[in-house]
Amino acid sequence: MAKTFKKPEALSDAHTHYCPGCTHGVIHRLVAEAIDELGLRDMTVGIAPVGCAVLAYNYFTCDFQEAAHGRAPAMATGIKRVRPDLIVFTYQGDGDLASIGMGEIIHAANRGEKFTAIFVNNAVYGMTGGQMAPTTMPGQRTTTSPAGRDILDTGMPIRMAELLSTLKTPSYIARQAVLRPKYITKAKKAIKKAFQYQMENRCFTFVEVVSTCPTNWGMSPLESLEWAEKTLLPYYPLGEFKTPEQEEQDAA
Amino acid sequence: MGKKILMKGNEAIGEAAIRAGCLNYFAYPITPQSEVAEYLVKRMPEVGGVFVQGESEVAVGYMIFGASGAGARVFTTSSSPGVSLMSEAISYIAGAQCPAVFVNIIRGGPGLGGILPSQGDYFQATKGGGHGDYHMLVMAPASVQEAVEMVMLAFPLAEKYRNPVMILGDGLIGQMMEPVEFPDDLRTEPTNKDSWATSGMKSRGSTERNLVKSLYLDPTQLNDHNLNLKAKYDQMKAEEVRYEPYNTDGDYKILIVSFGTMSRVCRTAIDFLKEEGIEVGMIRPQTVFPFPDAPIRDAAVKESCKAVISIEMNMGQMVEDVERCLKGQRPVHWYGKCGGDVPTPEEIMEVIKERL
Ligand SMILES: Cc1ncc(C[n+]2csc(CCOP(=O)(O)OP(=O)(O)O)c2C)c(N)n1
Ligand code: SF4
C-alpha cells in the first residue's frame, strides 16, 4: 500500500508533551513541512521560547537554541548577523513575544533582521497555568482576570501583526489560523512563504498563527476550535498585512 | 609585539578585540565606555566585521548569546547599569556553556549613581550578577596596556572553559590615554565548536544536530549539570589565578590588597612610605575570580606582617574575599571611597600609618 501520511524529516519521533487537542503540534508540523519542502533542515537554526513550546527542540531535528523569556528575536539577530548563510526562525507564544519580549520583536522587525518569527497567539499564558496575556480577549476569564479581562484596567488586546505592519522595514507580515483544515492550508502557505522570503535575503518575516489552549480555556479541544473561530477571528482578522510584492507595487 | 602607540583605554579595548580575532560586536551606549562603539563602528567594516547597536543591554546580552551559540567569537562592552541588564543573559550563557567576553567599565552606583570611576561592581562580577550557581572568569586591568593584554587573553579563556569572561575595568581605564604595545594577533579559531555550536549541520558536515540550552527539568540532570559547571570553576581556581606582588621581598608590616586603578595609587603610596623607611607590601589580584587566595594568605602570614588592608573604590566588597582566605590569621581592614573621588597616595599613606 502506498504511504499517504509521512512525518516530516524536520520532526523527531519524540512523544509530545503538549496537552491533547493543543494546536502547538499542528504549527510545529507546518513549520517542519516548510523546512523539508525547501530543503533547509541542515542549514536551519530554530529558537525555542519560554512558554509551552520551550521544549520545541525535542520535536524539531535541526540545530536549536533555547532563549530566555521574550528574548528569542535578539538571539536570532545575534545568530543571523554572524551567520547570514543560515536560516533562522523563532517560535514564540503571546506572553513571550507580545509582553515581556515586545521590545525585542519590534526592534528586530524594525532593523529588518533577516529571520522568520512564528508567533503563536492562543490568547493566554499556557505554561504558567492560564494567566492573562496581552492578547486575551475583553471579558475572557483567566486566572489573573477571574471576572473576565477588564479593558478599562488592562487595555485592549494587542494585535501584533497590525502593529508590526506599521513599520516600514519588515518584508512579510501575515496572520493565519489552525482552527480548521481550510485555515491550516493557508497557514502552511504563509509559513512557507516567510521562509522563502528569508532565503531571498529579504528583511524580517512574521507569521502570527491563531491557536488554541483547551487546557487553560477550560474547554474541550472541539469547543476551543469553535470558540476561537467565533471570538478570536473577528478581532484578529486573517490575511497578509505586508508582502514584498505589495511594497514593490506601491513604490512603482 | 608592535610599536608603542598612544591610545585611549576604550579604543584600545576595541582594537584588542579585533586583534584577538573577534569580529562581532553588539552594544548599547553608556558613559564611560561609549568610545568603544564609536571606535568599532569605523573599524569593524574595515575588517569585514559585524557591528550592531542593540535596542537595550537586555537585547545585547541575547545577541551575544545567539552569536556565541552559533560558534562566533563575540563581545560587548558596557558600564554598570547596562551590565545589570545583561546579567540575565550572562546567567543563561554560563548555563548553556557558551564562550563570550563582557567588558564592564564600572561607574558609581547604586542606581544611576554617577559617571565617574568606581569599583562598586566587584560583587556583581565575582559572585554572579544573575541568578543561579555560576561564575565568570573576571580579570581586572590596572593600565591600558594590561587591558589590551587581558582582552586578548579573554577570548581563548572563554573558549577553553566555554564560559563568559569579564574584563572589570573602571572609568579611568576606559578614559585614560596611555602608550600601548599590542601583542601579536591571536590567530587561533574557537576550538571544538563543531561539537556544540548551532552552526548548521551542513556547514560542519554533520548529520547530528546541536542544541544550545540551559533547561534541565530533571533534578538529577540539573544537579549533574551544576556539578559539571562547578568542576570548571574549580579548574579555573587551579589554573587561572593571576596576581602581581609588589614590594613583598622585604619585611613589611602591612600588606595591602588592591586591584585595578586603585592599586596604582597604592603603589605610589608604598613608594613614598619606603622613602620614610616604612615597608608595605601589596598583592594585586589580576583575576578577581578566581581570587588569589593562596598568594594573599602566604604574603599575609609572613612573620613581619601585622595586618592586611583591602583598599577599594567601593564600600568594602573585595575585603570579604580577603577575610575569607585569611580565616582570621591576621586582622583585616578596609579602606575605600566611591563616587569617583579616587583616594590620593597621601590619603592611603595616612590609612596605612594608622595601622602600623
Ligand atoms: C523572566 C521570566 N519571567 C517569567 C517566567 C515565567 N513564564 C514562563 S512561560 C510564561 C508565559 C508563557 O506564555 P506564552 O508566551 O503565551 O506561551 P504559551 O505557554 O501560551 O505557549 C511565563 C510568564 C520566566 N520563565 N521567565
Ligand atoms: S497549556 Fe495550553 S498551550 Fe500549553 S500545551 Fe496545554 S493546551 Fe497547549
Side-chain angles (χ1 to χ4, degrees), chain B residues 1 3-17 19 32 35-36 39 103 105 139-153 167-183 260-264 284 286:
Chain B
M1 292 267 184
K3 65 175 193 319
K4 272 211 160 114
I5 43 175
L6 195 66
M7 259 185 129
K8 196 173 192 174
N10 281 332
E11 297 185 347
I13 284 169
E15 184 61 31
R19 295 190 187 215
E35 294 87 355
V36 186
Y39 179 79
V103 178
I105 301 296
M139 293 185 277
S143 66
V144 176
Q145 177 66 38
E146 197 175 36
V148 161
E149 288 164 15
M150 285 179 172
V151 167
M152 294 187 69
L153 184 62
I167 305 298
L168 192 67
D170 57 62
L172 276 173
I173 297 292
Q175 297 297 325
M176 193 161 51
M177 281 191 93
E178 281 192 321
V180 284
E181 208 175 329
F182 284 92
T261 296
M262 192 64 247
S263 69
R264 291 172 66 152
R284 173 173 76 92
Q286 291 168 301

Side-chain angles (χ1 to χ4, degrees), chain A residues 34-70:
Chain A
I35 290 173
D36 270 17
E37 287 165 24
L38 297 168
L40 299 175
R41 194 178 74 92
D42 60 0
M43 51 192 290
T44 294
V45 183
I47 303 178
V50 174
C52 282
V54 65
L55 296 173
Y57 51 72
N58 283 343
Y59 310 125
F60 288 98
T61 57
C62 55
D63 278 1
F64 242 83
Q65 292 198 21
E66 169 207 81
H69 197 22

Side-chain angles (χ1 to χ4, degrees), chain A residues 18 24 49-54 68-71 91-98 100 119-129 131 133-135 213 216, chain B residues 88 92:
Chain A
Y18 294 113
H24 263 303
V50 174
C52 282
V54 65
H69 197 22
R71 315 298 177 216
Y91 184 105
Q92 304 176 256
D94 40 27
D96 195 81
L97 183 139
I100 195 167
F119 170 46
V120 180
N121 178 0
N122 61 9
V124 78
Y125 282 25
M127 189 193 213
T128 38
Q131 294 83 7
T135 47
C213 178
N216 289 303
Chain B
E88 184 198 38
Y92 276 78

Side-chain angles (χ1 to χ4, degrees), chain B residues 52-70:
Chain B
V52 178
Q53 178 171 327
E55 64 271 32
S56 69
E57 289 89 349
V58 174
V60 165
Y62 289 97
M63 291 175 188
I64 297 287
F65 187 10
S68 160

Side-chain angles (χ1 to χ4, degrees), chain B residues 24-344:
Chain B
N24 305 295
Y25 177 74
F26 299 82
Y28 188 83
I30 183 169
T31 307
Q33 63 74 52
S34 299
E35 294 87 355
V36 186
E38 288 159 6
Y39 179 79
L40 287 176
V41 74
K42 295 187 214 108
R43 274 293 277 147
M44 281 303 182
E46 288 172 11
V47 293
V50 170
F51 174 97
V52 178
Q53 178 171 327
E55 64 271 32
S56 69
E57 289 89 349
V58 174
V60 165
Y62 289 97
M63 291 175 188
I64 297 287
F65 187 10
S68 160
R73 200 169 268 170
V74 60
F75 94 119
T76 187
T77 59
S78 188
S79 180
S80 313
V83 176
S84 291
L85 286 188
M86 288 176 186
S87 296
E88 184 198 38
I90 294 174
S91 165
Y92 276 78
I93 293 170
Q97 305 200 67
C98 291
V101 173
F102 291 81
V103 178
N104 182 2
I105 301 296
I106 314 176
R107 55 187 255 179
L112 216 40
I115 57 169
L116 295 174
S118 160
Q119 296 181 325
D121 297 350
Y122 179 91
F123 280 152
Q124 185 193 53
T126 59
K127 315 290 177 196
H131 56 284
D133 281 289
Y134 78 91
H135 281 289
M136 286 185 284
L137 195 158
V138 187
M139 293 185 277
S143 66
V144 176
Q145 177 66 38
E146 197 175 36
V148 161
E149 288 164 15
M150 285 179 172
V151 167
M152 294 187 69
L153 184 62
F155 292 98
L157 282 176
E159 286 152 18
K160 173 178 173 186
Y161 289 98
R162 281 176 57 194
N163 198 70
V165 172
M166 176 167 277
I167 305 298
L168 192 67
D170 57 62
L172 276 173
I173 297 292
Q175 297 297 325
M176 193 161 51
M177 281 191 93
E178 281 192 321
V180 284
E181 208 175 329
F182 284 92
D184 294 338
D185 289 3
L186 192 70
R187 299 202 187 279
T188 55
E189 277 286 305
T191 47
N192 297 334
K193 64 176 182 182
D194 281 356
S195 65
W196 59 268
T198 61
S199 49
M201 290 183 278
K202 190 172 172 183
S203 67
R204 61 178 180 272
S206 168
T207 51
E208 299 265 311
R209 67 88 172 259
N210 282 341
L211 197 52
V212 168
K213 62 156 188 147
S214 61
L215 180 70
Y216 294 85
L217 288 171
D218 177 81
T220 312
Q221 277 185 14
L222 183 55
N223 192 52
D224 288 347
H225 172 57
N226 270 287
L227 285 171
N228 286 338
L229 297 182
K230 183 176 182 305
K232 295 199 300 188
Y233 308 137
D234 289 343
Q235 190 188 344
M236 288 177 197
K237 288 179 189 171
E239 295 178 16
E240 309 303 342
V241 170
R242 289 172 170 78
Y243 66 99
E244 186 189 50
Y246 188 66
N247 201 42
T248 50
D249 290 337
D251 284 337
Y252 46 87
K253 282 199 165 153
I254 299 284
L255 179 75
I256 287 176
V257 182
S258 187
F259 71 99
T261 296
M262 192 64 247
S263 69
R264 291 172 66 152
V265 184
C266 292
R267 210 181 236 262
T268 310
I270 290 171
D271 293 347
F272 287 167
L273 285 169
K274 205 181 189 67
E275 286 169 17
E276 295 181 18
I278 301 169
E279 292 296 332
V280 175
M282 177 166 74
I283 299 287
R284 173 173 76 92
Q286 291 168 301
T287 52
V288 283
F289 187 92
F291 196 67
D293 286 25
I296 290 173
R297 195 162 50 236
D298 292 349
V301 298
K302 197 164 176 176
E303 189 72 37
S304 62
C305 181
K306 300 286 173 257
V308 180
I309 316 176
S310 180
I311 303 185
E312 320 166 45
M313 294 193 294
N314 57 42
M315 290 289 113
Q317 301 191 14
M318 182 175 68
V319 64
E320 292 189 8
D321 278 332
V322 177
E323 280 171 343
R324 179 183 51 75
C325 60
L326 285 186
K327 296 191 174 69
Q329 293 179 88
R330 287 291 182 279
V332 175
H333 307 283
W334 159 83
Y335 181 74
K337 250 186 180 177
C338 56
D341 183 11
V342 181
T344 61

